[in-house]
Amino acid sequence: MARIGIITCANATQDLGCSSVVCLADLRKRKGFFAAYPVEEPLELMGIMSCPGCPTLAGFDKFLQRVRGLTEFRVGAIHLSTCMKYLCPFQEKYQTLLADAFPKISIVKGTHAEHLEPAKFRELVQGLFSQPRRTMIDLIVSG
Ligand code: SF4
């Protein structure tokens, strides 16, 4: 049995509302980056969690602390989500941190199949971030 953990991008999940539905669908269907597992090996999702957000240049330890939510449960592989692969400026550092701290865990860059070119995906995400949103500030300044 392959014991799998997934780490997603906090911007995608917490800011933009992704429920990881596409990652989980491809895991169930053994598509995308889950197609590489031998067909006779059952896939067990041990946990899925978002990154802790921007680590700054000084806070990479918070990423390692965060992934304890997966690493404490004998995962054999950690997948960095496809959105993280497309969006995250820290992904190489995260990969190195994980490989150094957990040499027995496979680190896989990607979850679901890549339906869009990275540049197109980033353009669409940029559109989501730049759409006007009403916040508490709108109440304060209109008060
Ligand atoms: S650190 Fe990377 S994965 Fe985490 S929220 Fe920022 S861009 Fe997304």
Side-chain angles (χ1 to χ4, degrees), residues 71-130:
T71 58
E72 291 289 328
F73 301 100
R74 293 186 292 114
V75 293
I78 291 179
H79 286 247
L80 304 181
S81 66
T82 300
C83 64
M84 183 184 269
K85 182 176 170 181
Y86 280 3
L87 298 172
C88 180
F90 306 106
Q91 58 184 288
E92 304 299 334
K93 178 72 175 173
Y94 286 161
Q95 252 191 302
T96 305
L97 287 171
L98 286 171
D100 289 348
F102 308 104
K104 292 185 177 158
I105 298 177
S106 305
I107 312 301
V108 183
K109 267 181 81 171
T111 44
H112 62 74
E114 300 181 354
H115 303 291
L116 295 170
E117 289 297 315
K120 182 64 184 173
F121 182 76
R122 283 194 281 271
E123 180 191 321
L124 294 172
V125 169
Q126 187 175 7
L128 293 176
F129 277 130
S130 61

Coordinates of all heavy atoms in Angstrom, one line a residue, residues 71-130:
T71 N 4.3 13.7 8.1 CA 5.4 12.8 8.3 C 5.4 12.0 9.6 O 6.0 10.9 9.7 CB 6.7 13.7 8.4 OG1 6.6 14.6 9.5 CG2 7.0 14.4 7.1
E72 N 4.5 12.4 10.5 CA 4.4 11.6 11.7 C 3.5 10.3 11.5 O 3.4 9.5 12.4 CB 3.7 12.4 12.9 CG 4.6 13.5 13.4 CD 5.8 13.0 14.2 OE1 5.7 11.9 14.9 OE2 6.8 13.7 14.2
F73 N 3.0 10.2 10.3 CA 2.1 9.1 10.0 C 2.6 8.1 8.9 O 1.8 7.6 8.2 CB 0.7 9.7 9.7 CG 0.2 10.5 10.9 CD1 0.3 11.9 10.8 CD2 -0.3 9.9 12.0 CE1 -0.1 12.6 11.9 CE2 -0.7 10.7 13.1 CZ -0.6 12.0 13.1
R74 N 3.9 7.9 8.9 CA 4.5 6.9 8.0 C 4.1 7.1 6.6 O 3.8 6.1 5.9 CB 4.2 5.5 8.6 CG 4.8 5.2 9.9 CD 4.6 3.8 10.4 NE 3.3 3.5 10.7 CZ 2.5 2.6 10.0 NH1 3.0 2.0 9.0 NH2 1.3 2.4 10.3
V75 N 4.1 8.3 6.1 CA 3.8 8.4 4.7 C 5.1 8.0 3.9 O 6.2 8.1 4.3 CB 3.5 9.9 4.2 CG1 2.1 10.3 4.8 CG2 4.6 10.9 4.6
G76 N 4.8 7.3 2.8 CA 5.9 6.9 1.9 C 6.2 7.9 0.8 O 7.3 7.9 0.3
A77 N 5.2 8.8 0.5 CA 5.4 9.8 -0.5 C 4.6 11.0 -0.1 O 3.5 11.0 0.4 CB 4.9 9.3 -1.9
I78 N 5.3 12.2 -0.4 CA 4.6 13.5 -0.3 C 4.5 14.1 -1.6 O 5.5 14.3 -2.3 CB 5.3 14.4 0.7 CG1 5.2 13.8 2.2 CG2 4.7 15.8 0.7 CD1 5.9 14.7 3.2
H79 N 3.3 14.4 -2.1 CA 3.1 15.1 -3.3 C 2.9 16.6 -3.1 O 2.1 17.0 -2.2 CB 1.8 14.6 -4.0 CG 2.0 13.3 -4.6 ND1 1.9 13.0 -6.0 CD2 2.1 12.0 -4.1 CE1 2.1 11.8 -6.3 NE2 2.2 11.1 -5.1
L80 N 3.8 17.4 -3.7 CA 3.5 18.8 -3.7 C 2.5 19.1 -4.9 O 2.7 18.6 -6.0 CB 4.8 19.6 -4.0 CG 6.0 19.3 -3.1 CD1 7.2 20.1 -3.5 CD2 5.6 19.5 -1.6
S81 N 1.4 19.8 -4.5 CA 0.3 19.9 -5.4 C 0.7 20.5 -6.8 O 1.7 21.3 -6.8 CB -0.8 20.7 -4.8 OG -0.4 22.0 -4.6
T82 N -0.1 20.3 -7.8 CA 0.2 20.9 -9.1 C 0.1 22.4 -9.0 O 0.8 23.1 -9.6 CB -0.8 20.3 -10.1 OG1 -0.6 18.9 -10.2 CG2 -0.6 20.9 -11.5
C83 N -0.8 22.9 -8.2 CA -0.9 24.4 -8.0 C 0.4 24.9 -7.4 O 0.9 26.0 -7.8 CB -2.1 24.9 -7.3 SG -2.2 24.3 -5.5
M84 N 0.9 24.2 -6.4 CA 2.2 24.6 -5.8 C 3.3 24.6 -6.9 O 4.1 25.5 -7.0 CB 2.5 23.7 -4.6 CG 3.8 24.1 -3.9 SD 4.2 23.0 -2.6 CE 3.4 23.7 -1.2
K85 N 3.3 23.6 -7.7 CA 4.3 23.5 -8.7 C 4.2 24.6 -9.7 O 5.2 25.1 -10.2 CB 4.0 22.1 -9.5 CG 5.0 21.8 -10.6 CD 4.7 20.4 -11.1 CE 5.5 20.2 -12.4 NZ 5.2 18.9 -13.0
Y86 N 3.0 25.1 -10.0 CA 2.8 26.2 -10.9 C 3.1 27.6 -10.3 O 3.4 28.5 -11.0 CB 1.4 26.2 -11.5 CG 1.2 25.2 -12.6 CD1 2.2 24.3 -13.0 CD2 0.0 25.1 -13.3 CE1 2.0 23.4 -14.0 CE2 -0.2 24.2 -14.3 CZ 0.8 23.3 -14.6 OH 0.5 22.4 -15.6
L87 N 2.8 27.7 -9.0 CA 2.7 29.0 -8.4 C 3.8 29.4 -7.4 O 4.1 30.6 -7.2 CB 1.4 29.2 -7.7 CG 0.1 29.1 -8.6 CD1 -1.1 29.1 -7.7 CD2 0.1 30.3 -9.6
C88 N 4.4 28.4 -6.8 CA 5.2 28.7 -5.6 C 6.6 29.0 -5.8 O 7.4 28.2 -6.4 CB 5.1 27.5 -4.6 SG 6.0 27.8 -3.1
P89 N 7.1 30.2 -5.4 CA 8.5 30.6 -5.6 C 9.4 29.8 -4.6 O 10.6 29.9 -4.8 CB 8.5 32.1 -5.3 CG 7.3 32.3 -4.5 CD 6.3 31.3 -4.8
F90 N 8.9 29.1 -3.7 CA 9.7 28.5 -2.6 C 9.8 26.9 -2.9 O 10.3 26.2 -2.0 CB 9.1 28.7 -1.2 CG 8.9 30.2 -1.0 CD1 7.7 30.8 -0.9 CD2 10.0 31.0 -0.7 CE1 7.5 32.1 -0.7 CE2 9.9 32.4 -0.5 CZ 8.6 32.9 -0.4
Q91 N 9.2 26.5 -3.9 CA 9.0 25.0 -4.1 C 10.4 24.2 -4.1 O 10.4 23.1 -3.6 CB 8.2 24.7 -5.3 CG 8.8 25.2 -6.6 CD 7.8 24.9 -7.8 OE1 7.7 23.8 -8.2 NE2 7.2 25.9 -8.2
E92 N 11.4 24.8 -4.7 CA 12.7 24.1 -4.7 C 13.2 24.0 -3.3 O 13.8 22.9 -2.9 CB 13.7 24.9 -5.6 CG 13.2 25.1 -7.1 CD 12.9 23.8 -7.8 OE1 13.5 22.7 -7.4 OE2 12.1 23.8 -8.7
K93 N 13.1 25.1 -2.6 CA 13.6 25.1 -1.2 C 12.8 24.0 -0.4 O 13.4 23.3 0.4 CB 13.4 26.5 -0.6 CG 13.9 26.6 0.8 CD 15.4 26.5 1.0 CE 15.7 26.8 2.5 NZ 17.2 26.6 2.7
Y94 N 11.5 24.0 -0.6 CA 10.7 23.1 0.2 C 11.1 21.6 -0.2 O 11.2 20.8 0.7 CB 9.2 23.2 -0.2 CG 8.5 24.4 0.4 CD1 7.3 24.9 -0.1 CD2 9.0 25.1 1.5 CE1 6.7 26.0 0.4 CE2 8.4 26.2 2.1 CZ 7.3 26.7 1.5 OH 6.6 27.7 2.1
Q95 N 11.3 21.4 -1.4 CA 11.8 20.0 -1.8 C 13.1 19.6 -1.2 O 13.2 18.5 -0.7 CB 12.0 20.0 -3.4 CG 10.9 19.3 -4.1 CD 11.4 19.1 -5.6 OE1 11.6 20.0 -6.3 NE2 11.4 17.9 -6.0
T96 N 14.0 20.6 -1.1 CA 15.3 20.3 -0.5 C 15.1 20.0 1.0 O 15.7 19.1 1.5 CB 16.3 21.5 -0.7 OG1 16.3 21.7 -2.1 CG2 17.6 21.2 -0.2
L97 N 14.3 20.9 1.6 CA 14.1 20.7 3.1 C 13.5 19.3 3.4 O 14.0 18.6 4.3 CB 13.1 21.8 3.6 CG 13.6 23.2 3.7 CD1 12.5 24.1 4.0 CD2 14.7 23.3 4.8
L98 N 12.5 18.9 2.6 CA 11.9 17.7 2.8 C 12.9 16.5 2.5 O 12.9 15.6 3.3 CB 10.7 17.5 1.9 CG 9.4 18.3 2.2 CD1 8.4 18.2 1.1 CD2 8.8 17.9 3.5
A99 N 13.6 16.6 1.4 CA 14.5 15.5 1.1 C 15.6 15.4 2.2 O 16.0 14.2 2.5 CB 15.2 15.8 -0.3
D100 N 16.1 16.5 2.7 CA 17.1 16.4 3.7 C 16.6 15.9 5.1 O 17.2 15.1 5.7 CB 17.7 17.8 4.0 CG 18.6 18.2 2.8 OD1 18.9 17.4 1.9 OD2 19.0 19.4 2.8
A101 N 15.4 16.3 5.4 CA 14.8 16.0 6.7 C 14.2 14.6 6.7 O 14.2 13.9 7.7 CB 13.8 17.0 7.1
F102 N 13.7 14.1 5.5 CA 13.0 12.8 5.5 C 13.5 12.1 4.2 O 12.8 11.9 3.3 CB 11.5 13.1 5.4 CG 11.0 14.0 6.4 CD1 10.6 15.3 6.2 CD2 10.8 13.5 7.7 CE1 10.1 16.1 7.2 CE2 10.3 14.3 8.8 CZ 10.0 15.6 8.5
P103 N 14.7 11.6 4.3 CA 15.3 10.9 3.1 C 14.6 9.7 2.7 O 14.7 9.3 1.5 CB 16.7 10.6 3.6 CG 16.8 10.7 5.0 CD 15.7 11.7 5.4
K104 N 13.8 9.1 3.5 CA 13.1 7.9 3.1 C 11.7 8.1 2.5 O 11.1 7.2 2.0 CB 12.8 7.0 4.4 CG 14.1 6.4 4.9 CD 13.9 5.4 6.0 CE 15.2 4.8 6.5 NZ 15.1 4.3 7.8
I105 N 11.3 9.4 2.5 CA 10.0 9.8 1.9 C 10.3 10.3 0.5 O 11.1 11.1 0.3 CB 9.3 10.8 2.7 CG1 9.0 10.3 4.1 CG2 8.0 11.3 2.1 CD1 8.3 11.3 5.1
S106 N 9.5 9.7 -0.5 CA 9.6 10.2 -1.9 C 8.9 11.5 -2.0 O 7.8 11.7 -1.5 CB 9.0 9.2 -2.8 OG 9.5 8.0 -2.7
I107 N 9.5 12.5 -2.6 CA 8.9 13.8 -2.9 C 8.5 13.8 -4.3 O 9.4 13.7 -5.2 CB 9.8 15.0 -2.5 CG1 10.5 14.7 -1.2 CG2 9.1 16.3 -2.6 CD1 9.6 14.6 0.0
V108 N 7.2 14.0 -4.6 CA 6.7 14.1 -6.0 C 6.2 15.5 -6.3 O 5.3 16.0 -5.5 CB 5.6 13.0 -6.2 CG1 5.1 13.0 -7.6 CG2 6.0 11.6 -5.7
K109 N 6.7 16.1 -7.3 CA 6.2 17.4 -7.7 C 5.0 17.3 -8.6 O 5.2 17.1 -9.8 CB 7.3 18.2 -8.4 CG 8.1 19.1 -7.4 CD 9.2 19.9 -8.0 CE 8.6 21.1 -8.7 NZ 9.7 22.0 -9.1
G110 N 3.8 17.4 -8.0 CA 2.6 17.3 -8.8 C 1.6 16.4 -8.3 O 1.9 15.4 -7.6
T111 N 0.3 16.7 -8.5 CA -0.8 15.8 -8.1 C -1.7 15.5 -9.3 O -1.5 14.5 -9.9 CB -1.6 16.5 -7.0 OG1 -1.9 17.9 -7.3 CG2 -0.9 16.4 -5.6
H112 N -2.5 16.4 -9.6 CA -3.4 16.1 -10.8 C -2.7 16.4 -12.1 O -1.7 17.1 -12.2 CB -4.7 16.9 -10.7 CG -4.6 18.4 -10.7 ND1 -4.3 19.1 -11.8 CD2 -4.7 19.3 -9.7 CE1 -4.2 20.4 -11.5 NE2 -4.5 20.6 -10.2
A113 N -3.4 15.9 -13.2 CA -2.8 16.0 -14.5 C -2.8 17.5 -14.9 O -3.6 18.3 -14.4 CB -3.7 15.3 -15.5
E114 N -1.8 17.9 -15.7 CA -1.6 19.3 -16.0 C -2.5 19.6 -17.2 O -2.1 19.3 -18.3 CB -0.1 19.5 -16.2 CG 0.6 19.2 -15.0 CD 2.1 19.5 -15.1 OE1 2.6 19.8 -16.2 OE2 2.8 19.3 -14.1
H115 N -3.6 20.3 -17.0 CA -4.6 20.6 -18.0 C -4.3 21.9 -18.8 O -4.8 22.1 -19.8 CB -6.0 20.6 -17.5 CG -6.4 19.4 -16.7 ND1 -6.6 18.2 -17.4 CD2 -6.6 19.1 -15.4 CE1 -7.0 17.3 -16.5 NE2 -6.9 17.8 -15.3
L116 N -3.5 22.7 -18.1 CA -3.1 24.0 -18.7 C -1.6 24.2 -18.7 O -0.9 23.6 -17.9 CB -3.8 25.1 -17.8 CG -5.3 25.3 -17.8 CD1 -5.7 26.3 -16.7 CD2 -5.8 25.7 -19.1
E117 N -1.2 25.0 -19.6 CA 0.2 25.4 -19.6 C 0.4 26.3 -18.3 O -0.5 27.0 -17.9 CB 0.6 26.3 -20.8 CG 0.6 25.5 -22.1 CD 1.7 24.4 -22.1 OE1 2.8 24.8 -21.7 OE2 1.4 23.3 -22.5
P118 N 1.6 26.2 -17.7 CA 1.9 26.9 -16.5 C 1.6 28.4 -16.6 O 1.0 29.1 -15.8 CB 3.3 26.7 -16.2 CG 3.6 25.4 -16.8 CD 2.7 25.3 -18.0
A119 N 2.0 29.0 -17.8 CA 1.8 30.5 -18.0 C 0.3 30.8 -18.0 O -0.1 31.8 -17.5 CB 2.5 30.9 -19.2
K120 N -0.5 29.9 -18.7 CA -1.9 30.2 -18.7 C -2.6 30.1 -17.4 O -3.4 30.9 -17.0 CB -2.6 29.2 -19.7 CG -4.0 29.4 -19.9 CD -4.3 30.7 -20.6 CE -5.8 31.0 -20.7 NZ -6.1 32.3 -21.2
F121 N -2.1 29.0 -16.6 CA -2.7 28.9 -15.3 C -2.4 30.1 -14.4 O -3.3 30.6 -13.7 CB -2.1 27.6 -14.6 CG -2.6 27.3 -13.3 CD1 -3.8 26.7 -13.1 CD2 -1.8 27.6 -12.1 CE1 -4.3 26.5 -11.8 CE2 -2.3 27.3 -10.9 CZ -3.6 26.7 -10.7
R122 N -1.1 30.6 -14.5 CA -0.8 31.8 -13.7 C -1.6 33.0 -14.1 O -2.0 33.8 -13.3 CB 0.7 32.0 -13.8 CG 1.6 31.1 -13.0 CD 3.0 31.5 -12.9 NE 3.8 31.2 -14.0 CZ 4.4 30.1 -14.2 NH1 4.4 29.1 -13.3 NH2 5.1 29.9 -15.3
E123 N -1.8 33.1 -15.4 CA -2.6 34.2 -15.9 C -4.0 34.2 -15.3 O -4.6 35.2 -14.9 CB -2.7 34.2 -17.4 CG -3.5 35.3 -18.1 CD -3.6 35.0 -19.6 OE1 -2.7 34.5 -20.2 OE2 -4.8 35.2 -20.1
L124 N -4.6 33.0 -15.3 CA -6.0 32.8 -14.8 C -6.0 33.1 -13.3 O -6.9 33.8 -12.8 CB -6.5 31.4 -15.1 CG -6.7 31.1 -16.6 CD1 -7.1 29.7 -16.8 CD2 -7.8 32.0 -17.1
V125 N -5.0 32.6 -12.6 CA -4.9 32.9 -11.1 C -4.7 34.4 -10.9 O -5.4 35.0 -9.9 CB -3.8 32.1 -10.5 CG1 -3.6 32.5 -9.0 CG2 -4.2 30.6 -10.5
Q126 N -3.9 35.0 -11.7 CA -3.7 36.5 -11.5 C -5.1 37.2 -11.7 O -5.4 38.1 -10.9 CB -2.7 37.0 -12.6 CG -2.4 38.4 -12.4 CD -1.3 38.9 -13.4 OE1 -0.9 38.1 -14.3 NE2 -0.8 40.0 -13.2
G127 N -5.9 36.7 -12.6 CA -7.2 37.3 -12.8 C -8.1 37.2 -11.5 O -8.8 38.1 -11.1
L128 N -8.0 36.0 -10.8 CA -8.7 35.8 -9.6 C -8.2 36.8 -8.5 O -9.0 37.4 -7.8 CB -8.6 34.4 -9.1 CG -9.2 33.3 -10.0 CD1 -8.9 31.9 -9.4 CD2 -10.7 33.5 -10.1
F129 N -6.9 36.9 -8.4 CA -6.4 37.8 -7.3 C -6.7 39.2 -7.6 O -6.9 40.0 -6.6 CB -4.9 37.6 -7.3 CG -4.4 36.5 -6.5 CD1 -3.5 35.6 -7.0 CD2 -4.8 36.2 -5.2 CE1 -3.0 34.5 -6.2 CE2 -4.4 35.2 -4.4 CZ -3.5 34.3 -4.9
S130 N -6.8 39.6 -8.8 CA -6.9 41.1 -9.1 C -8.4 41.5 -9.2 O -8.6 42.7 -9.3 CB -6.2 41.4 -10.4 OG -6.8 40.7 -11.5

